[in-house]
Amino acid sequence: MHAHAQSEIHRHPLIAFVARWLLTTNHKEIGTLYLWLSFLLFFIAGGMAMLIRAELFEPGIQLLHPEFYNQMVTLHGLVMVFGAVMPAFVGLANWMIPIMIGAPDMALPRINNFSFWLLPFAFAMLLSSLFMEGGAPNFGWTFYAPLSTTYGPPSTDYFVFGVHLMGISSVLGAINIIVTILNLRAPGMTLMKMPLFVWTWLITAFLLIMAMPVLAAAVTMVLTDRHFGTSFFAAAGGGDPVMFQHIFWFFGHPEVYIMILPGFGIASQIIPTFARKPLFGYRSMVYATAAIAFLSFIVWGHHMFATGMPLAVELFFMYATMAIAIPTGVKVFNWVATMWQGSLTFETPMLFALGFVMMFTIGGFSGLMLALVPADFQYQDTFFVVAHFHYVLYPGAIFGTMAAVYYWLPKWTGHRYDERLGKIHFWLATIGVNLTFFPMHFSGLAGMPRRVVDYSLQFADFNRISSIGAALLGLTQLLFLYIVIKTIRGGEKASDRVWEGARGLEWTIPSPAPHHTFETPPALARVLDAQPTPAEPAGAGAGATLR
Amino acid sequence: MKYSPNNSRKHAIVLMIAAAGMFAFGFALVPLYRTFCELTGLNGRTVAGARAAVSAPATQREVTIQFLAQAANGMPWEFRPVEKELRVRLGAINTTRFYVRNRAGTAVTGQAVPSVAPGRAAPYLNKLECFCFANQRVEAGAETEMPVRFYIATDLPQQIRTLTLSYTFFQVPSS
């Protein structure tokens, strides 16, 4: 202890700063690191989207070389999925889960540090491919063989190892979250009393552990096919390129739920707060989340309807996919029922949560359209698909993250954000999202293929609207950055509870949250008082609540 | 108050084993996929084990079998079926030939990969002898005709009247 204290004193401030963040094992600091890294990568991948939309502003090839356009499409997808959305959710989990369940920290703090610090190296490796001879990966984020094997640029190997590092990071993060939730809940916090954000993350973490290693296997096979003479995906050696798609989407479909389930959890935290009512149907929310997670593993074939699958297999994947609409419908119903006859107010987190529910549902509906085999034969590889997955990802995953940031920012910083600017941010982003992605439904149904640098004249008007919307949407996020920085630097003091209708252990600690919280577990009464569901009326189930 | 018994280490180890297991499962998908395709005949894979099967007595039912041939990208061979299609009786043994000419200035070794359409018919097409059973070496500028001996099983589903047997020749790296 003495040696430690002495070295602390003699350190240069810069070294002390670097050492603090490099060596930290504090869940709040690691959460902050995750959130800032995802914010940075969000702007990098968003910049790529701006280039893509600038090129598509009018027909013809104006700005980007077609080869570079393909690299932008690939890296935009990869960085947004693995760099922006996933680390943002892991950051929120790191910050909030220990506080929400009354734990002193994550269960495995050093693994936590390691899993964060893998990521900057993974993305440095992936993005460095832009400066290599032969250019960055250009085969789309799905890296279908043989595009990534026979025809992949040399930098594909950097992509492979980058994905390996991201995968290890995600799996370690997921293990940490599960272990924390299973072992460090405060006494009295039974599983069915956990806040929904914790529940959705618990299920997401299991999805990560089951899906990410399969992705690692797929990229490893790509690597050995490229360099070590194997023929997993090469027909010449008895392999099969279609098998790549099966393996990839076995990972890929659970992955899309990895990117949305924590968002469901966030909406389930925020809507009850601003409706001033407990969440409607808590149990059905938990079961619906588990059902979606299970179904996500048996629907991968719906990405491959056009590969020539037999009728029976197509029917199976079609019905299984459409079955996902049932638990998702339960969730949307519960959110609406939570608001029913509530005392609603519309602060910025609530606006983003409502935008999430509304617009994610639009994406869900276009997903149902795509699930229909005969319709999918027409929609396959058109901009309709682009419209669909951007509607579930932008107003879904990203609005969910933004809602969470506005909701918990006062707890993190101790300051209230500027409500007027927050509302402007929400409305500009909502207009931007719809202006950008709604016309893509029409250009797609009219037959515009995706992943093209140039397009036929009849799509010009829809694309121009999309590009104007994208510019608005991209620039609006600078306002978000400004609001966050402004809130960190100062502003009205936030109370401990922050929101009048807020329930949960995170609102019982001071704002800003002190460096260490819950070093001893909170008292039982405090835990029970913060339950997401109200104390049940005496008689039915009361024994279970108090035991 | 204390936290309940802490099993963090045990849980972490179990979950890491689970992750390693899923990594192995990713590779296990490869043989699973192959077995699934062979059992169901999906994907037009012809069954390797059928070679030794004995032909059942021929029946009167006839079907058309069409032949396709192509050289893969970068393969310097001219490759085509000598006969474009045949009418064959189920159960009867037939022979057809494929023409190959090596346009390159050096000897080239190739491997043909077969595929049958419709995929459901694949398990019923039995090859007794095929140039696709082994690598084929053709000298510079040489030409040759390669035979295929096959029969179609008598229990071929009634609704299949036409089959297509397609071959793609891939170059085998010379090293």
Side-chain angles (χ1 to χ4, degrees), chain A residues 102-104 111 151 171 175 178-179 183-185 187 209-210 213-214 216-217 221 235-236 238 240 243 246 250 310 518 521, chain B residues 1-8 11-12 15-16 18-19 22-23 25-27 29-30 33-34 42-43 45 73 111 113 170:
Chain A
I111 284 185
Y151 304 105
V171 169
I175 289 173
I178 294 174
V179 173
N183 290 291
L184 296 184
R185 294 192 315 280
I209 288 177
M210 292 180 71
V214 177
M221 288 183 226
D240 189 337
M243 184 179 68
H246 283 285
F250 185 87
F518 298 125
Chain B
M1 286 292 243
K2 273 177 60 189
Y3 292 100
S4 47
N6 193 327
N7 294 319
S8 295
H11 286 159
L15 290 168
M16 283 196 192
M22 286 309 291
F23 183 67
F25 177 72
F27 285 91
L29 282 173
V30 177
Y33 178 83
R34 183 180 294 267
L42 298 178
N43 214 14
R45 270 182 189 280
N73 221 359
Q111 171 65 50
V113 174
F170 292 92

Short mmCIF file of all heavy atoms in Angstrom, two decimals, chain A residues 102-104 111 151 171 175 178-179 183-185 187 209-210 213-214 216-217 221 235-236 238 240 243 246 250 310 518 521, chain B residues 1-8 11-12 15-16 18-19 22-23 25-27 29-30 33-34 42-43 45 73 111 113 170:
data_model
loop_
_atom_site.label_atom_id
_atom_site.label_comp_id
_atom_site.label_asym_id
_atom_site.label_seq_id
_atom_site.Cartn_x
_atom_site.Cartn_y
_atom_site.Cartn_z
N GLY A 102 -27.69 -3.25 -7.40
CA GLY A 102 -27.09 -3.04 -6.08
C GLY A 102 -25.77 -3.77 -5.90
O GLY A 102 -25.46 -4.20 -4.79
N ALA A 103 -24.97 -3.90 -6.98
CA ALA A 103 -23.67 -4.56 -6.88
C ALA A 103 -22.57 -3.51 -6.72
O ALA A 103 -22.72 -2.38 -7.20
CB ALA A 103 -23.42 -5.39 -8.14
N PRO A 104 -21.44 -3.88 -6.09
CA PRO A 104 -20.35 -2.90 -5.92
C PRO A 104 -19.61 -2.62 -7.22
O PRO A 104 -19.05 -1.54 -7.40
CB PRO A 104 -19.43 -3.57 -4.90
CG PRO A 104 -19.73 -5.03 -5.00
CD PRO A 104 -21.16 -5.15 -5.41
N ILE A 111 -11.10 -8.53 -16.34
CA ILE A 111 -11.56 -8.98 -17.67
C ILE A 111 -12.34 -7.85 -18.34
O ILE A 111 -12.26 -7.65 -19.55
CB ILE A 111 -12.42 -10.26 -17.52
CG1 ILE A 111 -11.50 -11.44 -17.27
CG2 ILE A 111 -13.27 -10.49 -18.76
CD1 ILE A 111 -12.18 -12.76 -17.23
N TYR A 151 -11.70 -13.51 -54.04
CA TYR A 151 -11.58 -12.18 -54.62
C TYR A 151 -11.29 -11.09 -53.60
O TYR A 151 -11.28 -9.92 -53.94
CB TYR A 151 -12.85 -11.84 -55.40
CG TYR A 151 -13.17 -12.87 -56.47
CD1 TYR A 151 -14.18 -13.80 -56.30
CD2 TYR A 151 -12.40 -12.93 -57.62
CE1 TYR A 151 -14.45 -14.76 -57.26
CE2 TYR A 151 -12.65 -13.89 -58.58
CZ TYR A 151 -13.67 -14.80 -58.40
OH TYR A 151 -13.91 -15.75 -59.35
N VAL A 171 -17.48 -11.47 -26.27
CA VAL A 171 -17.77 -12.67 -25.49
C VAL A 171 -17.34 -12.46 -24.04
O VAL A 171 -18.08 -12.80 -23.11
CB VAL A 171 -17.09 -13.90 -26.12
CG1 VAL A 171 -17.14 -15.09 -25.17
CG2 VAL A 171 -17.75 -14.25 -27.43
N ILE A 175 -19.77 -12.59 -20.81
CA ILE A 175 -19.54 -13.47 -19.66
C ILE A 175 -19.58 -12.64 -18.38
O ILE A 175 -20.22 -13.00 -17.39
CB ILE A 175 -18.19 -14.20 -19.81
CG1 ILE A 175 -18.28 -15.24 -20.93
CG2 ILE A 175 -17.76 -14.85 -18.50
CD1 ILE A 175 -16.96 -15.89 -21.28
N ILE A 178 -23.16 -11.69 -17.44
CA ILE A 178 -23.94 -12.80 -16.88
C ILE A 178 -23.49 -13.11 -15.45
O ILE A 178 -24.31 -13.25 -14.54
CB ILE A 178 -23.80 -14.06 -17.76
CG1 ILE A 178 -24.43 -13.83 -19.13
CG2 ILE A 178 -24.46 -15.26 -17.09
CD1 ILE A 178 -24.22 -14.96 -20.10
N VAL A 179 -22.16 -13.19 -15.26
CA VAL A 179 -21.64 -13.53 -13.94
C VAL A 179 -22.05 -12.47 -12.92
O VAL A 179 -22.44 -12.78 -11.78
CB VAL A 179 -20.10 -13.70 -14.00
CG1 VAL A 179 -19.53 -13.88 -12.61
CG2 VAL A 179 -19.74 -14.88 -14.88
N ASN A 183 -24.52 -13.34 -9.73
CA ASN A 183 -23.87 -13.45 -8.43
C ASN A 183 -23.95 -12.22 -7.55
O ASN A 183 -23.82 -12.33 -6.34
CB ASN A 183 -22.40 -13.80 -8.62
CG ASN A 183 -22.24 -15.22 -9.12
OD1 ASN A 183 -22.52 -16.16 -8.40
ND2 ASN A 183 -21.84 -15.36 -10.36
N LEU A 184 -24.11 -11.04 -8.12
CA LEU A 184 -23.94 -9.84 -7.31
C LEU A 184 -25.23 -9.04 -7.10
O LEU A 184 -25.18 -7.86 -6.78
CB LEU A 184 -22.87 -8.93 -7.94
CG LEU A 184 -21.46 -9.52 -7.97
CD1 LEU A 184 -20.47 -8.51 -8.51
CD2 LEU A 184 -21.04 -9.97 -6.58
N ARG A 185 -26.37 -9.69 -7.28
CA ARG A 185 -27.62 -8.96 -7.00
C ARG A 185 -27.76 -8.75 -5.50
O ARG A 185 -27.43 -9.63 -4.70
CB ARG A 185 -28.82 -9.74 -7.53
CG ARG A 185 -28.87 -9.86 -9.02
CD ARG A 185 -30.23 -10.37 -9.51
NE ARG A 185 -30.73 -11.50 -8.74
CZ ARG A 185 -30.33 -12.76 -8.91
NH1 ARG A 185 -29.39 -13.03 -9.80
NH2 ARG A 185 -30.85 -13.72 -8.20
N PRO A 187 -29.34 -8.62 -1.86
CA PRO A 187 -30.33 -9.51 -1.26
C PRO A 187 -31.73 -8.93 -1.43
O PRO A 187 -31.94 -7.73 -1.24
CB PRO A 187 -29.92 -9.54 0.22
CG PRO A 187 -28.48 -9.19 0.22
CD PRO A 187 -28.28 -8.25 -0.92
N ILE A 209 -22.78 -15.03 -26.41
CA ILE A 209 -21.92 -16.19 -26.18
C ILE A 209 -22.22 -17.29 -27.19
O ILE A 209 -21.33 -18.03 -27.60
CB ILE A 209 -22.09 -16.69 -24.73
CG1 ILE A 209 -21.43 -15.69 -23.79
CG2 ILE A 209 -21.50 -18.07 -24.55
CD1 ILE A 209 -21.58 -16.02 -22.34
N MET A 210 -23.46 -17.38 -27.65
CA MET A 210 -23.79 -18.42 -28.61
C MET A 210 -23.51 -18.01 -30.06
O MET A 210 -23.23 -18.86 -30.90
CB MET A 210 -25.25 -18.83 -28.46
CG MET A 210 -25.50 -19.54 -27.15
SD MET A 210 -27.21 -20.03 -26.97
CE MET A 210 -27.31 -21.35 -28.17
N PRO A 213 -18.97 -16.70 -31.24
CA PRO A 213 -17.96 -17.71 -31.60
C PRO A 213 -18.21 -18.32 -32.98
O PRO A 213 -17.26 -18.72 -33.66
CB PRO A 213 -18.10 -18.76 -30.49
CG PRO A 213 -18.66 -18.02 -29.34
CD PRO A 213 -19.60 -17.02 -29.94
N VAL A 214 -19.47 -18.37 -33.41
CA VAL A 214 -19.75 -18.91 -34.75
C VAL A 214 -19.22 -17.94 -35.81
O VAL A 214 -18.67 -18.36 -36.84
CB VAL A 214 -21.25 -19.18 -34.92
CG1 VAL A 214 -21.55 -19.66 -36.33
CG2 VAL A 214 -21.72 -20.20 -33.90
N ALA A 216 -16.63 -16.06 -35.31
CA ALA A 216 -15.18 -16.27 -35.27
C ALA A 216 -14.80 -17.49 -36.10
O ALA A 216 -13.80 -17.48 -36.82
CB ALA A 216 -14.72 -16.44 -33.83
N ALA A 217 -15.62 -18.55 -36.02
CA ALA A 217 -15.36 -19.74 -36.84
C ALA A 217 -15.44 -19.39 -38.32
O ALA A 217 -14.59 -19.81 -39.12
CB ALA A 217 -16.35 -20.85 -36.49
N MET A 221 -12.46 -19.72 -41.08
CA MET A 221 -12.54 -20.52 -42.31
C MET A 221 -12.18 -19.68 -43.53
O MET A 221 -11.51 -20.16 -44.45
CB MET A 221 -13.94 -21.09 -42.47
CG MET A 221 -14.25 -22.20 -41.49
SD MET A 221 -15.90 -22.87 -41.80
CE MET A 221 -16.54 -22.92 -40.18
N ALA A 235 -15.83 -24.51 -54.26
CA ALA A 235 -16.39 -25.70 -54.89
C ALA A 235 -15.29 -26.55 -55.50
O ALA A 235 -15.40 -27.77 -55.56
CB ALA A 235 -17.39 -25.28 -55.96
N ALA A 236 -14.20 -25.92 -55.93
CA ALA A 236 -13.11 -26.66 -56.57
C ALA A 236 -12.58 -27.75 -55.64
O ALA A 236 -12.19 -28.82 -56.09
CB ALA A 236 -11.99 -25.71 -56.95
N GLY A 238 -14.33 -29.18 -53.20
CA GLY A 238 -15.41 -29.91 -52.58
C GLY A 238 -16.18 -29.11 -51.55
O GLY A 238 -17.04 -29.65 -50.88
N ASP A 240 -18.41 -25.43 -50.44
CA ASP A 240 -19.66 -24.89 -50.95
C ASP A 240 -19.82 -23.44 -50.52
O ASP A 240 -19.89 -23.16 -49.33
CB ASP A 240 -20.81 -25.73 -50.40
CG ASP A 240 -22.12 -25.38 -51.07
OD1 ASP A 240 -22.23 -24.26 -51.59
OD2 ASP A 240 -23.02 -26.22 -51.06
N MET A 243 -22.74 -22.65 -48.24
CA MET A 243 -22.58 -23.00 -46.82
C MET A 243 -22.08 -21.79 -46.04
O MET A 243 -22.44 -21.61 -44.88
CB MET A 243 -21.60 -24.16 -46.67
CG MET A 243 -21.47 -24.63 -45.24
SD MET A 243 -20.34 -25.99 -45.10
CE MET A 243 -18.79 -25.20 -45.49
N HIS A 246 -25.00 -19.97 -44.79
CA HIS A 246 -25.65 -20.63 -43.66
C HIS A 246 -24.91 -20.32 -42.37
O HIS A 246 -25.50 -19.97 -41.35
CB HIS A 246 -25.72 -22.14 -43.88
CG HIS A 246 -26.79 -22.56 -44.84
ND1 HIS A 246 -28.12 -22.57 -44.50
CD2 HIS A 246 -26.73 -22.97 -46.13
CE1 HIS A 246 -28.83 -22.98 -45.54
NE2 HIS A 246 -28.00 -23.23 -46.54
N PHE A 250 -26.28 -17.93 -39.38
CA PHE A 250 -26.52 -18.56 -38.07
C PHE A 250 -26.03 -17.62 -36.97
O PHE A 250 -26.63 -17.54 -35.89
CB PHE A 250 -25.81 -19.91 -37.98
CG PHE A 250 -26.11 -20.63 -36.70
CD1 PHE A 250 -27.22 -21.44 -36.62
CD2 PHE A 250 -25.32 -20.48 -35.58
CE1 PHE A 250 -27.54 -22.09 -35.43
CE2 PHE A 250 -25.62 -21.11 -34.39
CZ PHE A 250 -26.74 -21.92 -34.32
N PRO A 310 -35.16 -25.66 -50.90
CA PRO A 310 -36.38 -26.39 -51.21
C PRO A 310 -37.59 -25.76 -50.52
O PRO A 310 -37.45 -25.06 -49.50
CB PRO A 310 -36.12 -27.80 -50.69
CG PRO A 310 -34.96 -27.70 -49.81
CD PRO A 310 -34.21 -26.46 -50.12
N PHE A 518 -22.59 1.08 -3.51
CA PHE A 518 -23.04 -0.23 -2.99
C PHE A 518 -21.87 -1.11 -2.59
O PHE A 518 -21.83 -2.31 -2.91
CB PHE A 518 -23.93 -0.95 -4.01
CG PHE A 518 -25.18 -0.20 -4.34
CD1 PHE A 518 -25.50 0.13 -5.64
CD2 PHE A 518 -26.05 0.21 -3.33
CE1 PHE A 518 -26.65 0.83 -5.94
CE2 PHE A 518 -27.21 0.91 -3.62
CZ PHE A 518 -27.51 1.22 -4.93
N PRO A 521 -24.18 -4.09 0.35
CA PRO A 521 -25.46 -4.17 -0.35
C PRO A 521 -26.49 -3.25 0.28
O PRO A 521 -26.49 -3.03 1.50
CB PRO A 521 -25.87 -5.63 -0.17
CG PRO A 521 -24.65 -6.35 0.21
CD PRO A 521 -23.75 -5.38 0.89
N MET B 1 -25.76 -7.10 6.01
CA MET B 1 -26.21 -7.80 4.81
C MET B 1 -25.03 -8.15 3.91
O MET B 1 -24.10 -7.38 3.76
CB MET B 1 -27.15 -6.89 4.00
CG MET B 1 -28.52 -6.75 4.62
SD MET B 1 -29.39 -8.29 4.52
CE MET B 1 -30.75 -7.82 3.50
N LYS B 2 -25.10 -9.31 3.31
CA LYS B 2 -24.02 -9.74 2.41
C LYS B 2 -24.63 -10.24 1.11
O LYS B 2 -25.80 -10.60 1.05
CB LYS B 2 -23.20 -10.86 3.07
CG LYS B 2 -22.08 -10.35 3.95
CD LYS B 2 -21.37 -11.50 4.64
CE LYS B 2 -20.77 -12.44 3.62
NZ LYS B 2 -20.27 -13.66 4.28
N TYR B 3 -23.80 -10.23 0.08
CA TYR B 3 -24.25 -10.81 -1.17
C TYR B 3 -24.35 -12.31 -1.01
O TYR B 3 -23.62 -12.92 -0.21
CB TYR B 3 -23.29 -10.45 -2.30
CG TYR B 3 -23.33 -8.99 -2.63
CD1 TYR B 3 -22.36 -8.12 -2.16
CD2 TYR B 3 -24.39 -8.47 -3.36
CE1 TYR B 3 -22.41 -6.77 -2.43
CE2 TYR B 3 -24.47 -7.12 -3.63
CZ TYR B 3 -23.47 -6.27 -3.17
OH TYR B 3 -23.55 -4.95 -3.44
N SER B 4 -25.22 -12.93 -1.78
CA SER B 4 -25.42 -14.38 -1.70
C SER B 4 -24.11 -15.09 -2.11
O SER B 4 -23.22 -14.47 -2.67
CB SER B 4 -26.56 -14.78 -2.62
OG SER B 4 -26.39 -14.17 -3.87
N PRO B 5 -23.99 -16.39 -1.86
CA PRO B 5 -22.73 -17.10 -2.13
C PRO B 5 -22.21 -16.77 -3.53
O PRO B 5 -22.97 -16.81 -4.51
CB PRO B 5 -23.13 -18.57 -2.02
CG PRO B 5 -24.33 -18.58 -1.18
CD PRO B 5 -25.01 -17.27 -1.32
N ASN B 6 -20.94 -16.44 -3.60
CA ASN B 6 -20.39 -15.93 -4.85
C ASN B 6 -19.78 -17.05 -5.69
O ASN B 6 -18.77 -17.64 -5.32
CB ASN B 6 -19.34 -14.87 -4.53
CG ASN B 6 -18.99 -14.09 -5.76
OD1 ASN B 6 -19.00 -14.64 -6.86
ND2 ASN B 6 -18.70 -12.82 -5.59
N ASN B 7 -20.42 -17.36 -6.81
CA ASN B 7 -19.94 -18.42 -7.70
C ASN B 7 -19.33 -17.83 -8.96
O ASN B 7 -19.34 -18.46 -10.01
CB ASN B 7 -21.10 -19.34 -8.09
CG ASN B 7 -21.62 -20.10 -6.90
OD1 ASN B 7 -20.85 -20.58 -6.08
ND2 ASN B 7 -22.93 -20.20 -6.78
N SER B 8 -18.80 -16.62 -8.87
CA SER B 8 -18.34 -15.92 -10.08
C SER B 8 -17.35 -16.75 -10.88
O SER B 8 -17.49 -16.90 -12.09
CB SER B 8 -17.69 -14.59 -9.70
OG SER B 8 -18.66 -13.75 -9.14
N HIS B 11 -18.98 -19.76 -12.59
CA HIS B 11 -19.82 -19.35 -13.72
C HIS B 11 -18.98 -18.88 -14.89
O HIS B 11 -19.27 -19.19 -16.05
CB HIS B 11 -20.78 -18.24 -13.27
CG HIS B 11 -21.89 -18.74 -12.42
ND1 HIS B 11 -22.60 -17.93 -11.57
CD2 HIS B 11 -22.41 -19.97 -12.27
CE1 HIS B 11 -23.51 -18.65 -10.94
NE2 HIS B 11 -23.42 -19.88 -11.35
N ALA B 12 -17.93 -18.11 -14.60
CA ALA B 12 -17.09 -17.58 -15.69
C ALA B 12 -16.46 -18.73 -16.46
O ALA B 12 -16.41 -18.71 -17.70
CB ALA B 12 -16.03 -16.65 -15.13
N LEU B 15 -19.05 -20.49 -18.64
CA LEU B 15 -19.43 -19.69 -19.80
C LEU B 15 -18.32 -19.65 -20.84
O LEU B 15 -18.58 -19.65 -22.04
CB LEU B 15 -19.82 -18.28 -19.36
CG LEU B 15 -21.14 -18.22 -18.58
CD1 LEU B 15 -21.32 -16.86 -17.93
CD2 LEU B 15 -22.32 -18.51 -19.49
N MET B 16 -17.06 -19.63 -20.37
CA MET B 16 -15.96 -19.64 -21.34
C MET B 16 -15.93 -20.97 -22.09
O MET B 16 -15.67 -21.00 -23.30
CB MET B 16 -14.63 -19.40 -20.64
CG MET B 16 -14.46 -17.93 -20.29
SD MET B 16 -12.79 -17.49 -19.88
CE MET B 16 -13.06 -15.86 -19.19
N ALA B 18 -18.53 -22.74 -22.69
CA ALA B 18 -19.66 -22.66 -23.62
C ALA B 18 -19.26 -21.89 -24.87
O ALA B 18 -19.59 -22.31 -25.99
CB ALA B 18 -20.85 -21.98 -22.93
N ALA B 19 -18.54 -20.77 -24.70
CA ALA B 19 -18.11 -19.99 -25.87
C ALA B 19 -17.17 -20.81 -26.74
O ALA B 19 -17.31 -20.82 -27.97
CB ALA B 19 -17.44 -18.70 -25.42
N MET B 22 -19.17 -23.22 -28.71
CA MET B 22 -19.86 -22.63 -29.86
C MET B 22 -18.89 -22.38 -31.01
O MET B 22 -19.26 -22.46 -32.18
CB MET B 22 -20.57 -21.33 -29.47
CG MET B 22 -21.82 -21.52 -28.65
SD MET B 22 -23.02 -22.70 -29.34
CE MET B 22 -23.59 -21.83 -30.80
N PHE B 23 -17.62 -22.07 -30.67
CA PHE B 23 -16.60 -21.91 -31.73
C PHE B 23 -16.43 -23.25 -32.45
O PHE B 23 -16.43 -23.31 -33.68
CB PHE B 23 -15.28 -21.45 -31.09
CG PHE B 23 -14.19 -21.18 -32.08
CD1 PHE B 23 -14.30 -20.12 -32.97
CD2 PHE B 23 -13.05 -21.96 -32.11
CE1 PHE B 23 -13.28 -19.85 -33.88
CE2 PHE B 23 -12.03 -21.70 -33.02
CZ PHE B 23 -12.15 -20.65 -33.91
N PHE B 25 -18.63 -25.58 -32.56
CA PHE B 25 -19.89 -25.85 -33.26
C PHE B 25 -19.89 -25.18 -34.63
O PHE B 25 -20.41 -25.73 -35.60
CB PHE B 25 -21.07 -25.36 -32.43
CG PHE B 25 -22.40 -25.53 -33.11
CD1 PHE B 25 -22.96 -26.77 -33.27
CD2 PHE B 25 -23.07 -24.42 -33.61
CE1 PHE B 25 -24.18 -26.92 -33.90
CE2 PHE B 25 -24.29 -24.56 -34.25
CZ PHE B 25 -24.84 -25.82 -34.40
N GLY B 26 -19.29 -23.98 -34.71
CA GLY B 26 -19.18 -23.29 -36.00
C GLY B 26 -18.51 -24.18 -37.03
O GLY B 26 -18.94 -24.26 -38.18
N PHE B 27 -17.45 -24.88 -36.61
CA PHE B 27 -16.77 -25.78 -37.53
C PHE B 27 -17.57 -27.06 -37.74
O PHE B 27 -17.57 -27.63 -38.82
CB PHE B 27 -15.37 -26.12 -37.01
CG PHE B 27 -14.41 -24.99 -37.20
CD1 PHE B 27 -14.23 -24.04 -36.21
CD2 PHE B 27 -13.72 -24.85 -38.39
CE1 PHE B 27 -13.36 -22.98 -36.41
CE2 PHE B 27 -12.85 -23.80 -38.59
CZ PHE B 27 -12.67 -22.85 -37.59
N LEU B 29 -20.58 -27.25 -38.07
CA LEU B 29 -21.64 -26.99 -39.05
C LEU B 29 -21.23 -27.50 -40.43
O LEU B 29 -22.08 -27.85 -41.24
CB LEU B 29 -21.93 -25.48 -39.13
CG LEU B 29 -22.78 -24.89 -38.01
CD1 LEU B 29 -22.83 -23.38 -38.13
CD2 LEU B 29 -24.20 -25.45 -38.07
N VAL B 30 -19.91 -27.55 -40.70
CA VAL B 30 -19.45 -27.96 -42.03
C VAL B 30 -19.82 -29.41 -42.32
O VAL B 30 -20.53 -29.68 -43.29
CB VAL B 30 -17.93 -27.71 -42.17
CG1 VAL B 30 -17.43 -28.21 -43.51
CG2 VAL B 30 -17.64 -26.23 -42.00
N TYR B 33 -23.63 -29.83 -42.38
CA TYR B 33 -24.22 -29.32 -43.63
C TYR B 33 -24.07 -30.36 -44.74
O TYR B 33 -25.02 -30.67 -45.46
CB TYR B 33 -23.49 -28.02 -43.97
CG TYR B 33 -23.90 -27.36 -45.25
CD1 TYR B 33 -25.02 -26.53 -45.29
CD2 TYR B 33 -23.16 -27.53 -46.41
CE1 TYR B 33 -25.38 -25.90 -46.46
CE2 TYR B 33 -23.51 -26.89 -47.58
CZ TYR B 33 -24.62 -26.09 -47.61
OH TYR B 33 -24.97 -25.46 -48.76
N ARG B 34 -22.86 -30.94 -44.83
CA ARG B 34 -22.60 -31.92 -45.88
C ARG B 34 -23.50 -33.15 -45.70
O ARG B 34 -24.14 -33.61 -46.64
CB ARG B 34 -21.13 -32.34 -45.81
CG ARG B 34 -20.71 -33.31 -46.87
CD ARG B 34 -19.24 -33.64 -46.69
NE ARG B 34 -18.41 -32.47 -46.93
CZ ARG B 34 -17.87 -32.19 -48.12
NH1 ARG B 34 -18.08 -32.99 -49.14
NH2 ARG B 34 -17.13 -31.13 -48.28
N LEU B 42 -30.43 -32.42 -51.14
CA LEU B 42 -30.51 -30.99 -51.43
C LEU B 42 -29.18 -30.55 -52.04
O LEU B 42 -28.16 -31.21 -51.86
CB LEU B 42 -30.77 -30.20 -50.15
CG LEU B 42 -32.08 -30.52 -49.46
CD1 LEU B 42 -32.21 -29.73 -48.18
CD2 LEU B 42 -33.23 -30.19 -50.39
N ASN B 43 -29.21 -29.43 -52.73
CA ASN B 43 -27.99 -28.84 -53.22
C ASN B 43 -27.39 -29.62 -54.38
O ASN B 43 -26.31 -29.33 -54.85
CB ASN B 43 -26.96 -28.77 -52.08
CG ASN B 43 -26.08 -27.54 -52.22
OD1 ASN B 43 -26.41 -26.65 -52.99
ND2 ASN B 43 -24.99 -27.52 -51.51
N ARG B 45 -26.03 -32.52 -54.61
CA ARG B 45 -24.84 -33.33 -54.36
C ARG B 45 -25.10 -34.77 -54.77
O ARG B 45 -26.09 -35.37 -54.35
CB ARG B 45 -24.50 -33.32 -52.87
CG ARG B 45 -23.59 -32.20 -52.51
CD ARG B 45 -23.25 -32.29 -51.04
NE ARG B 45 -22.54 -31.09 -50.65
CZ ARG B 45 -21.25 -30.90 -50.87
NH1 ARG B 45 -20.55 -31.83 -51.46
NH2 ARG B 45 -20.68 -29.78 -50.51
N ASN B 73 -13.50 -20.41 -63.80
CA ASN B 73 -12.73 -19.21 -64.03
C ASN B 73 -11.23 -19.52 -63.99
O ASN B 73 -10.75 -20.10 -63.03
CB ASN B 73 -13.05 -18.22 -62.90
CG ASN B 73 -13.19 -16.83 -63.43
OD1 ASN B 73 -13.03 -16.61 -64.64
ND2 ASN B 73 -13.50 -15.89 -62.56
N GLN B 111 -9.93 -31.06 -61.77
CA GLN B 111 -10.86 -31.89 -61.01
C GLN B 111 -12.27 -31.42 -61.35
O GLN B 111 -12.58 -30.24 -61.23
CB GLN B 111 -10.61 -31.74 -59.51
CG GLN B 111 -11.67 -32.38 -58.61
CD GLN B 111 -11.73 -33.90 -58.76
OE1 GLN B 111 -10.71 -34.58 -58.68
NE2 GLN B 111 -12.93 -34.43 -59.00
N VAL B 113 -16.28 -31.18 -60.67
CA VAL B 113 -17.23 -31.24 -59.55
C VAL B 113 -18.63 -31.35 -60.14
O VAL B 113 -19.04 -30.48 -60.91
CB VAL B 113 -17.11 -30.00 -58.65
CG1 VAL B 113 -18.18 -30.01 -57.59
CG2 VAL B 113 -15.73 -29.95 -58.01
N PHE B 170 -12.32 -27.63 -62.34
CA PHE B 170 -11.47 -26.67 -61.64
C PHE B 170 -10.02 -27.08 -61.81
O PHE B 170 -9.70 -28.27 -61.84
CB PHE B 170 -11.81 -26.63 -60.15
CG PHE B 170 -13.16 -26.08 -59.85
CD1 PHE B 170 -14.26 -26.92 -59.75
CD2 PHE B 170 -13.34 -24.72 -59.67
CE1 PHE B 170 -15.52 -26.41 -59.48
CE2 PHE B 170 -14.60 -24.20 -59.39
CZ PHE B 170 -15.69 -25.05 -59.29
#
